[in-house]
Amino acid sequence: MGEEALGEEALEGSQSARISRRLNWLRAGVMGANDGIVSTAALVVGVAGAAVSNSALLASGVAAVAAGALSMAVGEYVSVSSQRDSQVAELALERSQLQADPAGELDQLTGMIQARGIDADLARPVAVQLTRKDALTAHARLELGIDPDELINPWHAGLSSMLTFIIGGLVPLLAILLAPRSIAVGVTVVAVVLALGATGSISAHLGGASKLRAVTRVVIGGLGAMVVTYAIGLLVGTQI
């Protein structure tokens, strides 16, 4: 096996890291949709319990989806921005260490490559080749688990969370608005249960967890939120 092939093998973790990041974004999107479903469903069912007009129900539902989506977007943007700032700081520190002590950093890279199962007599030439090609990238991937060319993007995270929240929120909103008023709450409950079952199953699949347990947990949580808010809506409606 040549040094170039060994170098690629030493850095193969970067590909798995990219796959892991994509799965994390997908999981975050599923969670955003789940939040949209539960929070919007709880609100519109509670408002319906107060026996308000369809126009008031529409206004409250749209406001809930818009406010929730914007809140998710801002929260995710701030969170991911902090993570990106941390990555940038780590890369800057690694860059300064490479400039201050290139020999010591080469020894460190050699040790990391050797720790990945490459023989000691081959680890050094591989480290030298990787250092000549791009020392910062080699250290960032092996030492920090960061790909300098693929730093996390807070804008993508914020927009993804916002869009998935809107998609999730539209499920209960459309169900309660389009169904006849006499069965609107029941139709909404069914739609929410089906939607939560889908998001719970997907999130469990991505995380390698039990689908039945995940679906049961999220469905019970969603139903509980709707029961509480509907009861509150009924109570408030009788007092008005």
Side-chain angles (χ1 to χ4, degrees):
M1 184 180 293
E3 292 177 12
E4 183 176 353
L6 288 171
E8 292 176 355
E9 180 180 337
L11 295 179
E12 67 181 356
S14 105
Q15 177 66 23
S16 1
R18 282 194 291 270
I19 294 173
S20 177
R21 279 194 294 273
R22 291 188 184 115
L23 287 176
N24 285 336
W25 288 127
L26 182 54
R27 189 179 294 112
V30 172
M31 292 298 98
N34 186 76
D35 288 345
I37 295 167
V38 173
S39 60
T40 306
L43 186 139
V44 296
V45 167
V47 172
V52 299
S53 64
N54 282 339
S55 59
L57 189 58
L58 173 62
S60 61
V62 170
V65 172
L70 291 174
S71 176
M72 286 286 294
V74 172
E76 194 69 17
Y77 176 83
V78 171
S79 174
V80 175
S81 291
S82 298
Q83 295 178 46
R84 183 184 177 92
D85 290 343
S86 177
Q87 289 181 332
V88 171
E90 288 182 304
L91 290 174
L93 177 60
E94 189 63 43
R95 188 179 291 108
S96 67
Q97 291 174 340
L98 285 168
Q99 294 173 348
D101 186 16
E105 291 297 302
L106 179 59
D107 290 339
Q108 182 186 45
L109 183 61
T110 301
M112 289 187 292
I113 293 173
Q114 190 173 344
R116 295 177 71 87
I118 296 179
D119 293 340
D121 58 340
L122 292 178
R124 186 72 175 190
V126 170
V128 170
Q129 181 172 327
L130 290 175
T131 298
R132 289 174 179 170
K133 183 178 181 180
D134 190 337
L136 179 61
T137 296
H139 280 269
R141 289 176 174 175
L142 288 175
E143 182 179 351
L144 306 175
I146 298 174
D147 188 337
D149 297 326
E150 292 192 18
L151 298 181
I152 54 179
N153 190 316
W155 289 104
H156 290 170
L159 288 173
S160 174
S161 295
M162 181 177 69
L163 290 176
T164 54
F165 186 97
I166 291 173
I167 293 171
L170 286 176
V171 172
L173 180 58
L174 292 176
I176 205 163
L177 289 174
L178 297 179
R181 191 60 185 269
S182 60
I183 60 171
V185 172
V187 170
T188 303
V189 170
V190 172
V192 167
V193 168
L194 293 175
L196 290 177
T199 58
S201 178
I202 293 172
S203 63
H205 177 74
L206 294 174
S210 167
K211 292 184 179 180
L212 178 60
R213 184 179 303 169
V215 170
T216 301
R217 183 168 54 239
V218 73
V219 168
I220 290 177
L223 288 175
M226 286 188 289
V227 168
V228 171
T229 54
Y230 186 70
I232 293 173
L234 283 175
L235 179 62
V236 172
T238 59
Q239 302 300 318
I240 297 177

